[in-house]
Amino acid sequence: MDLATIIGTFLGISLVGYAIFSGAGEDAKAFISTSSAMIVIGGAIASVMVSSPLALFLKAGKFFSKALFHKEQSTQKLIDDLVGYAEIARRDGILSLENATKDAEDPFIIKGIQMAVDGTDPELIEQIMNNELDAIAERHEKGKGVFDSIGRYAPAYGMIGTLVGLVVMLMNMDDPAKIGPGMAMALLTTLYGSMFANMFALPIADKLGARNDEELLLKTIIIKGVMSIQSGDNPRIVEQKLKTFLPPSMRNEGEEEQEQ
Amino acid sequence: MDLATIIGTFLGISLVGYAIFSGAGEDAKAFISTSSAMIVIGGAIASVMVSSPLALFLKAGKFFSKALFHKEQSTQKLIDDLVGYAEIARRDGILSLENATKDAEDPFIIKGIQMAVDGTDPELIEQIMNNELDAIAERHEKGKGVFDSIGRYAPAYGMIGTLVGLVVMLMNMDDPAKIGPGMAMALLTTLYGSMFANMFALPIADKLGARNDEELLLKTIIIKGVMSIQSGDNPRIVEQKLKTFLPPSMRNEGEEEQEQ
Amino acid sequence: MDLATIIGTFLGISLVGYAIFSGAGEDAKAFISTSSAMIVIGGAIASVMVSSPLALFLKAGKFFSKALFHKEQSTQKLIDDLVGYAEIARRDGILSLENATKDAEDPFIIKGIQMAVDGTDPELIEQIMNNELDAIAERHEKGKGVFDSIGRYAPAYGMIGTLVGLVVMLMNMDDPAKIGPGMAMALLTTLYGSMFANMFALPIADKLGARNDEELLLKTIIIKGVMSIQSGDNPRIVEQKLKTFLPPSMRNEGEEEQEQ
Amino acid sequence: MDLATIIGTFLGISLVGYAIFSGAGEDAKAFISTSSAMIVIGGAIASVMVSSPLALFLKAGKFFSKALFHKEQSTQKLIDDLVGYAEIARRDGILSLENATKDAEDPFIIKGIQMAVDGTDPELIEQIMNNELDAIAERHEKGKGVFDSIGRYAPAYGMIGTLVGLVVMLMNMDDPAKIGPGMAMALLTTLYGSMFANMFALPIADKLGARNDEELLLKTIIIKGVMSIQSGDNPRIVEQKLKTFLPPSMRNEGEEEQEQ
Amino acid sequence: MDLATIIGTFLGISLVGYAIFSGAGEDAKAFISTSSAMIVIGGAIASVMVSSPLALFLKAGKFFSKALFHKEQSTQKLIDDLVGYAEIARRDGILSLENATKDAEDPFIIKGIQMAVDGTDPELIEQIMNNELDAIAERHEKGKGVFDSIGRYAPAYGMIGTLVGLVVMLMNMDDPAKIGPGMAMALLTTLYGSMFANMFALPIADKLGARNDEELLLKTIIIKGVMSIQSGDNPRIVEQKLKTFLPPSMRNEGEEEQEQ
């Protein structure tokens, strides 16, 4: 569960809600416009349907829930696990890893170790694991792309809605009393478009990008770890190699890197 | 037939149409302006004629129909086919593939296998197939570019039309009754430009980009498969290598990758 | 002679002209403003003079005429020529190519073949030809850059002119009758800037980019062809290698690639 | 302590403050709006919470203090130190470096030399140090990204606030006396958003980027130096190699590069 | 002395000055606003102080004078010189180059030849010279970056100033006579920001980028030349290799490349 996403979204909505209530008082309900929401959200969905393959569009919900309910894996623990496997391999032979990794959190480890145990050619192992890494990165990139598209098309439909409203208003300028409310209504779609993009779609796209980076880092550590174990590296070397992926403050050697 | 493209386009137009009708009522027909459409669509076409080589411009319709009527190939089936060829090559020798691939869906397979059967040097096979891949990617990139250009120039002509309308209106401000309708007319080209770009050209460009990615993935799988078959790889290895291109949920080994 | 460029430019100007005449009627001549044209065109020239080396700036006309009068070379014919040279080299020895290529359309072929005939080291031939390719690409890139700059600075000067006009108008708001015409005049520079950029500079820049891609493709085919001939490849192999640069529809083998 | 950051920020605020006081006189306090600040700053924080992993968001303060209190290391001194180590290694053997580097300013040197002293394989040393370099670059990139995001979302919330204010104002246009102040209030959030982005977030992001470049240069020099020392290079060669990272004006050989 | 920069700047200022005088007549002096200049120029300086390291900021003047007073080196002459050195090295041995290059225009040549004369390992020579090339490119990139930043922040401060002016004006809308002049004053900062960016900062940044490209080309030619001389290449080969960097029209062999 990603608390920051929930809190951030709630905070953003509260702030805009507060701005509306403190400014409009009892008229605040005038800010609710089903037709504006329909144009902006519906329009963004329509354009994403055209721009993305259908299968990808249908998976948008899954990507969204990933941004919300992602359980962060500990890099520290992953490295400890891999160093542990290196020790087992050193002590009991690489074949004993088949049992040891049976309950590994990440099936990517199981797959890699299994290939090492099977005596697959190291180059082939690395190639297969890197292929998989690239494929994961590409799938994630596309998921992020759906929300980037929403963030691009929602404001565009907001502007289209506002232009329609302005034209309607301008065609009926005989009654000056109607000008203000007409323009207010027209601006609502721009407001909705901007809110939908900046409070929802773009930050979610950014978070999916960050999640992707995290996951690729973990997978990269696994690949380096498996290759290192496979080549029979000393567990201390394995640890030294993998620790470089940790920020200095998380290394338990007490050393401190000069970053200030 | 790409249903999402049709539905998405129809949905977008309906939403804007609804906005117009609910706002303008009987005056909705005032939103139809042949001259505005001429400036925006004609102008975008004019600028694309200048910016693209003539041959490319004339093929725009073909690219468009590709976005609409693209038949998706199954990655799963392609991999199964290639693994099948690997088994035949293993069992009956690579020469027997000439017959087996005769009815392959993708002529790219036929070409690759043919070269392998002819005993062409593996490096040359890979080079020729990669050349072809690059050439396909470049042709597609250019097709996408035409729609990207339309999406860039349509709003520009929309703005040019609006500026012309504004200047005309401003020169005749003696009659205040004409200001509103004059400005309404002026804004129509901006509205048309924005609609043409965001509801048609840019999403189509995005979809052509996604189609290109899909096709390049298939071609890449074919190249990897042909090279693997050519080098006499064990069918199981071929399968393992190619399966990495599938998302985990589509792999029939029941394994599940940790992506949540 | 590039007809599309001429027709496209003419079409764009006609459309805007039509919009002006149909809107302004007899007042259309008010859209002609020498001072607006001076600010936008002169300003764009001024900024490009500052931003580009003088020699490049002076060559802008040459680049422009290239966009207009470029004679397209046939990729098909080039490949046929190169395959022809490969046959001659196979039959009569590589030395006989010196005569055969004497009348080649592209001096780049003559230069490459000459080096092969002279017995220059293949690696050196490739290096020299690739250096030349890079140098051509860089010169073209700069030519495109001049028009990209014009397309960037013309609207900027258009806005500067409009701001000047607005300030002048706002300082003299005592006479309401002058507000309309004042603003109309002010908007003219923005209109000119947008037209100069979107109907002329940016599409020309795009076309120069497309021309560059075409020419680099031809030069790349020549390099591959010369290297293939030099290494004594079978003419059929040479053809197979070079044909991959053609779109499938242009290959005379009747094969069809699945691109729909 | 980075004086330029402090002075620049102070100068920017003073200039805008002066503009406000000289324009608004006694009404200057009307420019202070807690609710506008809440929407812009709170909104930017909200969107960054959604878009960045929580851990990164919480470290924003640390990144900021880094931009403020960064102590620049001298490239010249670093090179002198490394050349000094090379001399010691040449004279007394590489093992003697363990003591010599004990007090090195940068733990990265200590780590590298330690591995060299331990007789670690040179390739492994380079790989571990480069891994560490990449990891540092990535952490810094993310720190910069937080401020880039703030610089992107603050103006977006500023526009959202202004749209809310405009809609409120337009719904109450009966009283013309309220139009001016209503619009003034509405524009304040855009002003705040633009100030927060351009006077704080974006420049800080740029400075973090520049800091990162500086630090990576230092680390790169250290890696080149350690590898050079490890391979037993003559100290003069080490110096020659490392001096190329200095701008010519800082080289004490009196040579001058033609850069004018 | 770079005449184009001077003429271009003067032309730009003249055009805007003409626009102001022809529009405002005697009121032209109202366009001079010390406070607007202070906000835009001072603000841009403030943000660049925050965004760049202090040392870089202080060197901005040096970069500017480089854009103005850069003396172009002749590529043709450089190649002739290098070919001359190759001939001397061929005739009298490489050691004789020490004297021959003593008066070379570019110290980069002296340094490279000196290393070749000293019998430094060719790989090391290339590495040191490439390091230097990268370091020069990076320093120039940063110099360009300062002016890019000014071009980005000046319009931002222009908008901030205009927003301040608008808010002041809107708070005092009781007196309609003040609206016009108030808005005129407010727009002046936007005008100043746009002029400062588009007539000064951005073109200068572009020119520094072009200068950098030129200088890197010269340095690249020197590196290729020195490496070619060092390896004892025939002077004719050296010439052939280096001539590829010249545009065809500048080659004295009379050959013409098909670029029309």
Side-chain angles (χ1 to χ4, degrees):
Chain A
M1 190 68 176
D2 188 287
L3 258 181
T5 305
I6 314 284
I7 297 176
T9 307
F10 186 76
L11 177 58
I13 294 175
S14 306
L15 284 166
V16 176
Y18 165 80
I20 292 173
F21 275 104
S22 70
E26 288 174 26
D27 298 333
K29 63 181 182 299
F31 275 85
I32 296 171
S33 157
T34 329
S35 62
S36 295
M38 266 176 59
I39 290 176
V40 167
I41 301 181
I45 290 174
S47 282
V48 174
M49 278 183 82
V50 178
S51 66
S52 304
L54 189 55
L56 189 62
F57 173 73
L58 296 175
K59 262 190 282 187
K62 201 185 135 209
F63 290 121
F64 179 52
S65 77
K66 178 163 178 175
L68 277 191
F69 301 112
H70 176 80
K71 211 185 76 205
E72 224 163 304
Q73 270 181 290
S74 157
T75 318
Q76 177 69 63
K77 190 176 164 305
L78 175 65
I79 292 176
D80 289 347
D81 285 357
L82 287 166
V83 172
Y85 298 151
E87 275 158 8
I88 295 173
R90 195 80 188 232
R91 208 177 47 222
D92 309 328
I94 200 163
L95 294 185
S96 62
L97 280 181
E98 184 148 24
N99 270 318
T101 58
K102 217 166 40 189
D103 305 318
E105 251 183 283
D106 192 332
F108 197 61
I109 297 180
I110 302 177
K111 183 166 196 178
I113 293 290
Q114 186 60 50
M115 286 191 294
V117 167
D118 290 355
T120 314
D121 184 60
E123 255 183 69
L124 183 57
I125 300 182
E126 194 163 14
Q127 190 188 333
I128 288 179
M129 293 185 92
N130 276 326
N131 269 7
E132 182 113 19
L133 188 77
D134 293 347
I136 292 174
E138 208 182 306
R139 283 199 301 278
H140 288 193
E141 196 55 47
K142 281 181 185 165
K144 179 183 186 307
V146 170
F147 288 87
D148 274 327
S149 288
I150 294 177
R152 213 153 35 99
Y153 288 117
Y157 271 87
M159 198 186 98
I160 289 173
T162 294
L163 285 168
V164 169
L166 281 180
V167 171
V168 169
M169 181 207 83
L170 288 164
M171 292 191 310
N172 300 293
M173 267 178 60
D174 333 326
D175 182 357
K178 277 188 179 167
I179 294 180
M183 239 182 115
M185 282 305 296
L187 284 181
L188 272 189
T189 51
T190 293
L191 174 62
Y192 275 46
S194 188
M195 284 173 68
F196 196 50
N198 289 295
M199 292 165 63
F200 169 73
L202 295 176
I204 291 289
D206 287 351
K207 175 144 279 172
L208 285 171
R211 289 275 174 262
N212 185 27
D213 289 349
E214 273 171 26
E215 198 167 326
L216 293 190
L217 178 67
L218 291 171
K219 301 290 193 229
T220 304
I221 291 174
I222 292 174
I223 295 179
K224 299 238 167 184
V226 168
M227 297 319 295
S228 199
I229 290 169
Q230 200 276 346
S231 69
D233 273 357
N234 183 314
R236 223 189 125 236
I237 299 282
V238 175
E239 186 172 15
Q240 212 172 3
K241 275 189 187 172
L242 302 185
K243 279 272 164 71
T244 56
F245 289 102
L246 284 180
S249 60
M250 284 173 63
R251 291 178 206 160
N252 44 15
E253 303 146 326
E255 75 178 79
E256 244 177 81
E257 187 202 356
Q258 178 191 24
E259 280 201 282
Q260 293 66 322
Chain B
M1 188 67 174
D2 187 286
L3 257 180
T5 304
I6 314 284
I7 297 176
T9 307
F10 186 77
L11 176 58
I13 293 174
S14 307
L15 285 165
V16 176
Y18 166 79
I20 291 173
F21 276 104
S22 71
E26 289 174 25
D27 298 334
K29 66 180 180 299
F31 274 86
I32 296 172
S33 157
T34 330
S35 62
S36 295
M38 265 174 59
I39 290 176
V40 167
I41 300 182
I45 290 175
S47 282
V48 174
M49 278 182 81
V50 178
S51 66
S52 304
L54 189 56
L56 188 63
F57 173 74
L58 295 175
K59 262 190 282 187
K62 202 186 135 208
F63 289 122
F64 179 53
S65 77
K66 178 163 178 174
L68 278 191
F69 301 113
H70 175 81
K71 209 184 77 205
E72 224 162 305
Q73 269 182 292
S74 157
T75 318
Q76 177 69 64
K77 189 176 165 306
L78 174 65
I79 292 175
D80 289 348
D81 285 357
L82 287 166
V83 172
Y85 300 150
E87 275 158 8
I88 294 173
R90 196 79 189 230
R91 208 178 47 224
D92 310 327
I94 198 163
L95 294 186
S96 62
L97 279 181
E98 184 148 24
N99 268 318
T101 58
K102 216 167 39 189
D103 305 317
E105 250 182 283
D106 192 332
F108 198 60
I109 297 180
I110 303 176
K111 182 166 196 178
I113 292 292
Q114 186 60 50
M115 286 190 293
V117 167
D118 291 355
T120 314
D121 184 61
E123 255 181 70
L124 183 57
I125 300 181
E126 194 162 15
Q127 190 188 332
I128 288 178
M129 294 186 92
N130 276 326
N131 269 5
E132 181 113 20
L133 187 78
D134 292 347
I136 292 173
E138 209 182 306
R139 283 198 300 278
H140 288 194
E141 195 56 47
K142 281 182 186 165
K144 179 184 185 306
V146 170
F147 287 88
D148 275 326
S149 287
I150 294 178
R152 214 152 34 99
Y153 288 116
Y157 272 87
M159 199 185 98
I160 289 172
T162 294
L163 284 168
V164 169
L166 281 180
V167 171
V168 169
M169 181 208 84
L170 288 164
M171 294 192 308
N172 301 292
M173 268 178 60
D174 334 326
D175 182 358
K178 277 185 176 168
I179 294 180
M183 238 180 116
M185 282 305 296
L187 284 181
L188 273 189
T189 52
T190 293
L191 174 62
Y192 276 45
S194 189
M195 285 173 67
F196 195 51
N198 288 295
M199 294 166 62
F200 169 73
L202 295 176
I204 291 288
D206 287 350
K207 176 144 278 173
L208 285 171
R211 289 275 174 263
N212 185 27
D213 289 349
E214 274 171 25
E215 198 167 328
L216 293 190
L217 179 67
L218 291 171
K219 303 290 193 229
T220 304
I221 291 174
I222 291 174
I223 294 179
K224 299 237 168 185
V226 168
M227 296 320 294
S228 199
I229 291 169
Q230 200 276 346
S231 69
D233 273 356
N234 183 315
R236 221 189 126 239
I237 300 281
V238 175
E239 187 172 15
Q240 213 173 1
K241 276 189 186 173
L242 301 184
K243 279 272 164 71
T244 54
F245 290 102
L246 284 180
S249 61
M250 284 173 63
R251 290 177 207 160
N252 46 14
E253 303 145 327
E255 77 179 75
E256 243 178 82
E257 185 203 358
Q258 178 192 22
E259 279 201 284
Q260 292 67 328
Chain C
M1 187 68 174
D2 188 286
L3 257 180
T5 304
I6 314 284
I7 298 176
T9 307
F10 186 76
L11 176 58
I13 294 175
S14 307
L15 285 165
V16 176
Y18 165 80
I20 291 174
F21 276 102
S22 70
E26 289 174 25
D27 298 333
K29 66 180 180 301
F31 275 86
I32 296 172
S33 156
T34 329
S35 62
S36 296
M38 263 175 60
I39 290 175
V40 167
I41 301 182
I45 290 174
S47 283
V48 174
M49 277 183 81
V50 178
S51 66
S52 305
L54 188 57
L56 189 62
F57 174 73
L58 295 175
K59 263 189 281 186
K62 201 186 135 206
F63 289 121
F64 179 53
S65 77
K66 178 164 180 175
L68 278 190
F69 300 113
H70 175 81
K71 209 184 77 204
E72 226 163 306
Q73 269 182 292
S74 158
T75 318
Q76 178 67 65
K77 188 175 166 305
L78 174 66
I79 292 174
D80 289 349
D81 285 357
L82 287 166
V83 172
Y85 299 149
E87 276 158 7
I88 294 173
R90 195 78 188 231
R91 208 178 48 223
D92 310 327
I94 199 164
L95 293 186
S96 61
L97 280 181
E98 184 149 23
N99 269 317
T101 57
K102 218 167 37 191
D103 305 317
E105 249 181 284
D106 193 331
F108 197 60
I109 297 181
I110 302 177
K111 181 167 196 175
I113 293 292
Q114 186 60 48
M115 286 191 292
V117 168
D118 291 354
T120 314
D121 183 61
E123 254 182 71
L124 183 58
I125 299 181
E126 195 162 16
Q127 190 188 331
I128 288 178
M129 293 186 92
N130 276 327
N131 269 7
E132 181 113 19
L133 188 77
D134 293 347
I136 292 173
E138 209 181 304
R139 282 198 301 277
H140 289 193
E141 196 55 47
K142 282 182 186 165
K144 180 182 185 308
V146 170
F147 288 88
D148 275 326
S149 288
I150 293 178
R152 214 155 32 101
Y153 288 117
Y157 272 87
M159 200 186 96
I160 289 173
T162 294
L163 284 168
V164 169
L166 281 180
V167 171
V168 169
M169 180 207 86
L170 288 163
M171 294 192 308
N172 301 292
M173 268 178 60
D174 332 327
D175 182 359
K178 277 186 176 168
I179 294 180
M183 239 180 114
M185 282 305 296
L187 284 181
L188 273 188
T189 51
T190 292
L191 174 61
Y192 276 45
S194 189
M195 285 173 66
F196 195 50
N198 289 294
M199 292 165 62
F200 169 73
L202 295 176
I204 292 289
D206 287 351
K207 176 144 278 174
L208 285 172
R211 288 275 173 263
N212 185 28
D213 288 351
E214 274 172 25
E215 197 168 327
L216 293 191
L217 179 66
L218 292 171
K219 302 289 192 231
T220 305
I221 291 175
I222 291 174
I223 294 178
K224 300 238 170 187
V226 168
M227 297 319 296
S228 200
I229 290 170
Q230 199 276 345
S231 70
D233 273 357
N234 184 314
R236 221 188 126 241
I237 300 280
V238 176
E239 185 171 17
Q240 213 172 1
K241 277 189 187 174
L242 301 184
K243 278 273 164 72
T244 55
F245 289 103
L246 285 179
S249 60
M250 283 173 62
R251 291 179 206 158
N252 45 14
E253 302 144 328
E255 77 180 73
E256 242 177 82
E257 186 203 0
Q258 178 192 21
E259 277 202 283
Q260 290 67 327
Chain D
M1 189 68 175
D2 188 286
L3 258 180
T5 305
I6 314 284
I7 297 176
T9 307
F10 186 76
L11 176 59
I13 295 175
S14 306
L15 285 165
V16 176
Y18 166 79
I20 292 173
F21 276 103
S22 70
E26 288 173 27
D27 298 333
K29 64 180 182 299
F31 275 86
I32 296 172
S33 157
T34 328
S35 62
S36 295
M38 265 175 59
I39 290 176
V40 168
I41 300 182
I45 289 174
S47 282
V48 174
M49 277 183 82
V50 178
S51 66
S52 305
L54 188 56
L56 189 62
F57 173 74
L58 296 175
K59 262 190 284 187
K62 201 186 136 206
F63 289 122
F64 179 52
S65 76
K66 178 164 178 174
L68 278 191
F69 301 112
H70 176 80
K71 210 184 77 207
E72 225 164 303
Q73 269 181 291
S74 157
T75 318
Q76 177 67 63
K77 188 175 166 305
L78 176 65
I79 292 175
D80 290 348
D81 284 357
L82 287 166
V83 173
Y85 299 149
E87 276 158 9
I88 294 173
R90 195 80 189 231
R91 210 177 46 221
D92 309 328
I94 200 163
L95 294 186
S96 61
L97 280 181
E98 186 149 22
N99 268 317
T101 58
K102 219 167 35 189
D103 304 318
E105 250 183 285
D106 192 331
F108 198 60
I109 297 181
I110 303 177
K111 183 168 195 176
I113 293 290
Q114 184 62 49
M115 286 191 293
V117 167
D118 290 355
T120 314
D121 185 61
E123 256 182 68
L124 183 57
I125 299 182
E126 193 162 17
Q127 190 188 333
I128 288 179
M129 293 186 92
N130 276 327
N131 269 8
E132 181 112 19
L133 188 77
D134 293 347
I136 292 174
E138 211 182 305
R139 283 198 301 279
H140 289 194
E141 195 55 49
K142 281 181 185 166
K144 179 183 186 307
V146 170
F147 288 88
D148 275 327
S149 288
I150 293 178
R152 212 153 36 100
Y153 287 118
Y157 272 87
M159 198 186 98
I160 289 173
T162 294
L163 285 167
V164 169
L166 281 179
V167 171
V168 169
M169 181 207 84
L170 288 164
M171 292 191 310
N172 300 293
M173 267 179 60
D174 332 327
D175 182 358
K178 278 188 178 167
I179 294 180
M183 239 181 116
M185 282 305 297
L187 284 182
L188 272 189
T189 51
T190 292
L191 174 61
Y192 276 45
S194 189
M195 284 173 67
F196 196 50
N198 289 295
M199 292 166 62
F200 169 73
L202 296 176
I204 291 288
D206 287 350
K207 175 144 277 172
L208 285 172
R211 289 276 174 261
N212 185 27
D213 289 349
E214 272 171 26
E215 198 168 326
L216 293 190
L217 178 67
L218 291 171
K219 302 290 194 229
T220 305
I221 291 175
I222 292 174
I223 295 179
K224 298 238 169 185
V226 168
M227 297 319 295
S228 198
I229 291 170
Q230 200 276 344
S231 69
D233 274 356
N234 183 314
R236 224 191 123 236
I237 300 282
V238 174
E239 185 171 15
Q240 211 172 5
K241 275 189 187 173
L242 301 184
K243 279 271 165 73
T244 55
F245 289 102
L246 284 180
S249 60
M250 283 173 62
R251 291 178 206 159
N252 44 16
E253 302 145 329
E255 75 179 79
E256 244 178 81
E257 188 203 357
Q258 178 193 26
E259 280 201 283
Q260 291 68 325
Chain E
M1 188 71 174
D2 189 286
L3 258 180
T5 304
I6 314 283
I7 297 175
T9 306
F10 185 77
L11 177 58
I13 294 175
S14 307
L15 285 165
V16 176
Y18 165 79
I20 291 173
F21 277 103
S22 70
E26 288 173 26
D27 298 333
K29 65 180 179 301
F31 275 85
I32 296 172
S33 157
T34 327
S35 62
S36 295
M38 264 175 61
I39 290 176
V40 167
I41 301 182
I45 289 174
S47 282
V48 174
M49 277 183 83
V50 178
S51 66
S52 305
L54 188 57
L56 190 62
F57 173 74
L58 295 176
K59 263 189 282 185
K62 201 186 136 206
F63 289 122
F64 179 53
S65 76
K66 179 166 179 173
L68 278 190
F69 300 113
H70 175 81
K71 209 184 76 204
E72 226 164 304
Q73 270 181 291
S74 157
T75 318
Q76 177 67 63
K77 186 174 168 306
L78 175 65
I79 293 175
D80 289 348
D81 284 357
L82 287 165
V83 172
Y85 299 148
E87 276 157 8
I88 293 173
R90 196 78 188 231
R91 209 177 46 223
D92 310 327
I94 200 164
L95 294 186
S96 61
L97 280 181
E98 186 150 21
N99 269 316
T101 58
K102 219 167 37 191
D103 305 317
E105 249 183 285
D106 193 331
F108 197 61
I109 298 181
I110 302 177
K111 183 168 195 176
I113 293 292
Q114 184 62 49
M115 286 191 292
V117 168
D118 291 354
T120 314
D121 185 60
E123 255 182 70
L124 183 58
I125 299 181
E126 194 162 16
Q127 190 187 332
I128 289 178
M129 293 186 93
N130 276 325
N131 269 8
E132 181 113 19
L133 188 77
D134 293 347
I136 292 174
E138 210 182 305
R139 282 198 301 276
H140 289 194
E141 196 55 49
K142 282 181 185 165
K144 179 181 186 309
V146 170
F147 288 87
D148 275 325
S149 287
I150 294 178
R152 213 153 34 99
Y153 288 117
Y157 272 87
M159 200 186 97
I160 288 173
T162 294
L163 285 168
V164 168
L166 282 179
V167 171
V168 170
M169 180 208 86
L170 288 163
M171 294 191 309
N172 300 293
M173 267 178 60
D174 332 326
D175 181 358
K178 278 188 178 166
I179 294 180
M183 239 181 115
M185 281 306 295
L187 284 182
L188 272 189
T189 52
T190 293
L191 174 61
Y192 276 44
S194 189
M195 284 173 66
F196 195 51
N198 288 295
M199 292 166 62
F200 168 73
L202 296 176
I204 291 288
D206 287 351
K207 175 143 280 174
L208 285 171
R211 289 274 174 262
N212 185 27
D213 289 351
E214 273 171 25
E215 197 168 328
L216 293 190
L217 179 66
L218 292 171
K219 303 289 194 229
T220 304
I221 291 175
I222 291 174
I223 294 178
K224 299 237 170 187
V226 168
M227 297 319 295
S228 200
I229 290 170
Q230 199 277 344
S231 70
D233 273 357
N234 184 314
R236 222 190 125 239
I237 300 281
V238 175
E239 185 170 16
Q240 213 172 4
K241 276 188 187 173
L242 301 185
K243 278 273 164 69
T244 54
F245 289 103
L246 285 180
S249 61
M250 282 173 62
R251 291 179 206 158
N252 45 14
E253 303 144 330
E255 75 180 76
E256 243 178 81
E257 186 203 359
Q258 179 192 24
E259 279 200 285
Q260 291 66 325

